Amino acid sequence: MLKMMIGFMKDYWKYRDAVKKQHRWIVKYAAQKGYAINPSLMMSKNLEVWLSEMEATFGKRYCPCFEPSGDAKLDKQMCCPCEFIDDEIDEYGTCHCALFGRGDLDKAGWKASSQRLMGEYRVPLNMKEGVLDTRGMPLDPRRGLPIPDAMHQMKATLNGYGGKTLKMIVERDQEAKNLETIAAFRGYGFSKTASDDGITVTLDLENKNAQGASGSCGQ
Ligand code: SF4
């Protein structure tokens, strides 16, 4: 818990100006739509930090729960507030990431949605002999993207990771591309090799310019 709080404070400080900007549009948008914002300050501030990090890394305000898909139409739909929000609020009471919810959602409803989200992301990862195999995760029914995706699996692994490099197997070229973008943003070294069995990505975490690992949805 203490480690999580320290990580949050570091990220919050790093993105403080961007977070203020996110907060302004989030409040305005929620009021326009009659939606509520997640009443957990920790959760809503984390989501503002993660949105800021997505924008800083990928150049667009992508949903913090999904990495860019590489499909221009879907990626546009996934910019926050995404095109799935109304449908998801109808189904869960909140959007997928539990940032926005129904105006009259009670405490139990918010809690249930946060637990749904945690359940999706806090899953056992497939790490074998020092290689993180990110393939085979369930797909989100609306976006057709894995949960947790390679980016979130990487972030979850790096929390408390002591290794100098991280080797990962990803299924799609876009996932490798996203990891390369994240590596460039954080100052990690990056290399990849393709085989019939997938793409193996190696992140060199020892690079002196590397920035700290940030958390993400449900972590
Ligand atoms: S699921 Fe929520 S946080 Fe994610 S993009 Fe949609 S509205 Fe934004």
Side-chain angles (χ1 to χ4, degrees):
M1 187 65 182
L2 180 66
K3 207 172 144 215
M4 215 170 83
M5 281 302 292
I6 293 170
F8 166 72
M9 292 310 292
K10 271 167 75 177
D11 287 343
Y12 186 81
W13 183 249
K14 185 163 122 192
Y15 291 111
R16 59 194 180 282
D17 293 334
V19 163
K20 281 184 201 148
K21 194 183 86 183
Q22 306 293 354
H23 186 69
R24 281 197 292 274
W25 77 256
I26 286 168
V27 169
K28 198 170 161 195
Y29 173 78
Q32 275 167 0
K33 296 276 290 186
Y35 288 153
I37 300 166
N38 196 314
S40 156
L41 199 62
M42 185 71 180
M43 187 73 179
S44 63
K45 286 295 157 203
N46 261 323
L47 282 158
E48 289 172 2
V49 168
W50 297 331
L51 274 169
S52 303
E53 186 178 54
M54 289 300 278
E55 199 166 10
T57 308
F58 295 106
K60 289 199 175 144
R61 201 169 65 207
Y62 289 121
C63 179
C65 290
F66 298 93
E67 61 180 89
S69 68
D71 174 315
K73 186 175 169 218
L74 180 57
D75 287 347
K76 196 168 170 222
Q77 289 176 309
M78 290 203 301
C79 284
C80 191
C82 64
E83 287 194 14
F84 309 100
I85 183 170
D86 297 332
D87 200 27
E88 288 177 331
I89 286 180
D90 277 351
E91 182 176 350
Y92 310 124
T94 75
C95 67
H96 176 271
C97 309
L99 174 57
F100 298 102
R102 245 183 21 239
D104 63 352
L105 195 65
D106 61 11
K107 215 172 154 187
W110 281 104
K111 195 172 168 201
S113 199
S114 294
Q115 281 172 346
R116 167 195 54 79
L117 189 64
M118 304 283 178
E120 285 179 359
Y121 287 86
R122 289 186 182 169
V123 294
L125 300 180
N126 189 14
M127 176 75 96
K128 272 192 205 134
E129 294 168 7
V131 181
L132 176 66
D133 189 344
T134 65
R135 299 169 298 178
M137 290 295 175
L139 300 182
D140 173 74
R142 291 179 174 83
R143 299 157 183 85
L145 296 174
I147 306 179
D149 55 29
M151 175 181 80
H152 285 86
Q153 292 186 55
M154 177 209 75
K155 288 182 175 184
T157 304
L158 290 185
N159 274 334
Y161 185 73
K164 294 175 180 170
T165 58
L166 175 63
K167 251 188 208 304
M168 302 171 61
I169 302 175
V170 299
E171 195 158 359
R172 295 183 304 121
D173 201 43
Q174 182 62 35
E175 294 168 307
K177 206 172 154 192
N178 290 337
L179 291 173
E180 187 170 11
T181 303
I182 295 166
F185 182 71
R186 291 186 173 195
Y188 300 157
F190 174 93
S191 60
K192 68 172 181 181
T193 50
S195 70
D196 291 345
D197 197 29
I199 304 164
T200 302
V201 163
T202 305
L203 300 174
D204 175 4
L205 309 171
E206 279 215 302
N207 191 308
K208 298 241 179 318
N209 297 321
Q211 300 177 42
S214 176
S216 200
C217 306
Q219 288 151 22

